[in-house]
Every structure is written in C-alpha cells, then in structure tokens.
Amino acid sequence: MAATLTLAFFDSPVWNNLALILGQLLLVFIVFWMVFSILMAILIVISIHKKQMYFPRLLRPFFTIMEGTVKIVCLLLGVDGKELMEFLIRIDNEMNFSNFAKTPVEKRVIFFPQCLRSRDCPAHLTPDGLKCVSCGRCGLGRAIPALNAAGYKTFIIPGSTFIKRMVKKYQPKAMIGVGCMMEVKEGLQMGRKISMTTIGVMTKTDGCVETTMDYEELMEVASLGLAEQIVMEPDPRSGTR
C-alpha cells in the first residue's frame, strides 16, 4: 500500500511541477555560479596585470571556494599558476598589514628557512632552531641581529613542523614567514587556520641551498607599526646578497 502511494506521488502533477521548479532553480544557480566565477576570474586577471587590488576581501574567500574553476578560467585568460599564486599571496598580505602593524613587536616572530644560509654555515641546531652566529657568510647574520634588537623573536627553521612547535611554545600574535612560493602559501594557510596574523615574504630564488631574498623588503614589512625603520648593517662584501 505504501509503495503504491509513493509511486502515485511521483507520478502526480504535483511532483512533476516540483521537480520542474527544482530543476530550473538548479540550472539558474549553476549559470549564476559560472558567470560569477568568470567575472571574478576576470577581476583577478585585471588586478594582476594592473598590479592593483580590486575587492581583495571578496576575491580571497571566493577563490578558496572555487579554486579549481578560477584557475582554469585564469589559465584560459593567459594567467599561469605562478602569477595567480603570487597575486593571492599579495592579497593575503594586504589584508593582514593593518592588524600586523597593530601587534606589539614583542608579540611578533619571524621564521627563516635554513636554505638562506651559506653551505659553510657554522650554525648549530638548538631546541629553538638553528642558532645564527653572525659569521658573515650570508645575509641572515645582518638581518637577525637588527630584527632581534627591534624586539622580534627570530627562528631559522629546519622544517615546517618546527613552526607549529615554536608558535605553541611562545604564543605569538603575528608572524612573518620567509620562504619559497609554496612555503609562503602554506604558511599563510596555517596562519588562517590558527587565526594568527601572518605576512609572507618570498625568497628571490628557489632551492635547498644558498637561496636569496630581498632583505630590504623584509625590513619594510617588519617595520610596519614601529616608530622607526629597522635597518640592517651594511654588507661589507661586494656583489653578495
């Protein structure tokens, strides 16, 4: 009896009309979502080419939801994955600059990848990471003392899991993560997950040994919200990073 009533319902005009309405609503939603995705992708492409942020607080969460679709549309519009990722890192940084500047410097930390050091680096591993001895073989020996003097806690980390341990140990409110594009992306994602203000600074070269970075860019970011600009000691060597 129940089965007969069920079949009768699905054969009834009421169900047919309901199914038609649901199908139309689904079609409208799909069309709207695709059009919206294309418009957002176009906005991202324009922002990348003009090097100007348009509606970053709208673009970032939208990209998180529709990453695959946006990547395909951007690729069709001539934007490769690297350009797109760099743009998203810029969005994250721009959105975090204000809160970062408001965070007391003693509540900020900076994580450096070990690949920045010289292949002849004499630093030894401690519970808080590699301990720089300012030997002069790389830029870290000039950057870290300047940052520490300004009030930052700095770490040269042997791996990404080390960041979580240091965050748990020291409980900072904001951090700067230095690394290659993928490392910075993962660091920003981690910052969002733990609700920590995070700024990413990308290295200029990739690799596992003797990578380079723009230390002036780092000092500008690290100086946000401070009364004075953090300045590194001049490099006594010529033609080095």
Side-chain angles (χ1 to χ4, degrees), residues 70-149:
V70 174
K71 280 184 176 179
I72 292 173
V73 176
C74 286
L75 185 62
L76 293 174
L77 294 175
V79 175
D80 61 30
K82 181 180 179 181
E83 286 180 302
L84 182 58
M85 192 179 299
E86 287 178 348
F87 175 72
L88 293 172
I89 289 172
R90 283 175 52 209
I91 286 182
D92 282 333
N93 285 345
E94 290 281 348
M95 292 174 62
N96 288 332
F97 280 156
S98 178
N99 286 337
F100 187 87
K102 296 174 184 176
T103 305
V105 68
E106 61 271 14
K107 293 293 185 179
R108 305 180 190 179
V109 295
I110 301 179
F111 294 103
F112 293 98
Q114 65 172 345
C115 62
L116 283 170
R117 60 190 183 132
S118 166
R119 65 177 67 247
D120 300 319
C121 175
H124 58 279
L125 186 62
T126 73
D128 284 355
L130 291 160
K131 184 68 174 178
C132 179
V133 297
S134 298
C135 66
R137 292 182 173 91
C138 73
L140 290 174
R142 294 180 295 115
I144 288 177
L147 293 165
N148 289 344

Side-chain angles (χ1 to χ4, degrees), residues 3-236:
T4 303
L5 290 174
T6 301
L7 290 173
F9 172 75
F10 284 114
D11 286 335
S12 68
V14 174
W15 168 252
N16 291 334
N17 290 334
L18 181 60
L20 180 62
I21 293 172
L22 290 175
Q24 290 174 338
L25 289 175
L26 179 61
L27 180 61
V28 169
F29 176 78
I30 292 173
V31 171
F32 171 79
W33 194 249
M34 290 302 298
V35 171
F36 189 67
S37 299
I38 293 172
L39 290 176
M40 290 298 101
I42 292 173
L43 188 58
I44 288 174
V45 172
I46 293 173
S47 298
I48 291 173
H49 288 319
K50 292 194 173 183
K51 300 184 183 302
Q52 184 174 346
M53 300 288 180
Y54 295 102
F55 309 109
R57 295 190 180 278
L58 173 64
L59 289 177
R60 193 59 184 91
F62 172 78
F63 182 83
T64 301
I65 298 172
M66 291 293 292
E67 182 173 354
T69 303
V70 174
K71 280 184 176 179
I72 292 173
V73 176
C74 286
L75 185 62
L76 293 174
L77 294 175
V79 175
D80 61 30
K82 181 180 179 181
E83 286 180 302
L84 182 58
M85 192 179 299
E86 287 178 348
F87 175 72
L88 293 172
I89 289 172
R90 283 175 52 209
I91 286 182
D92 282 333
N93 285 345
E94 290 281 348
M95 292 174 62
N96 288 332
F97 280 156
S98 178
N99 286 337
F100 187 87
K102 296 174 184 176
T103 305
V105 68
E106 61 271 14
K107 293 293 185 179
R108 305 180 190 179
V109 295
I110 301 179
F111 294 103
F112 293 98
Q114 65 172 345
C115 62
L116 283 170
R117 60 190 183 132
S118 166
R119 65 177 67 247
D120 300 319
C121 175
H124 58 279
L125 186 62
T126 73
D128 284 355
L130 291 160
K131 184 68 174 178
C132 179
V133 297
S134 298
C135 66
R137 292 182 173 91
C138 73
L140 290 174
R142 294 180 295 115
I144 288 177
L147 293 165
N148 289 344
Y152 277 91
K153 287 185 177 66
T154 56
F155 305 92
I156 304 174
I157 58 172
S160 58
T161 56
F162 200 90
I163 297 177
K164 297 178 181 178
R165 296 213 310 269
M166 293 301 98
V167 167
K168 183 177 181 180
K169 179 178 179 179
Y170 290 102
Q171 298 292 309
K173 300 298 182 183
M175 66 178 174
I176 298 174
V178 180
C180 67
M181 187 183 299
M182 188 56 64
E183 289 170 335
V184 168
K185 176 188 175 184
E186 292 173 354
L188 290 168
Q189 288 174 341
M190 187 187 76
R192 287 196 296 272
K193 287 181 180 179
I194 62 177
S195 300
M196 180 181 296
T197 302
T198 306
I199 304 293
V201 177
M202 289 188 292
T203 53
K204 294 168 65 176
T205 56
D206 295 334
C208 299
V209 181
E210 294 189 341
T211 55
T212 60
M213 68 168 294
D214 186 342
Y215 284 100
E216 290 186 5
E217 177 188 358
L218 173 63
M219 295 302 149
E220 288 181 8
V221 173
S223 299
L224 288 171
L226 304 185
E228 296 182 1
Q229 176 82 14
I230 302 174
V231 179
M232 295 170 55
E233 290 293 328
D235 191 345

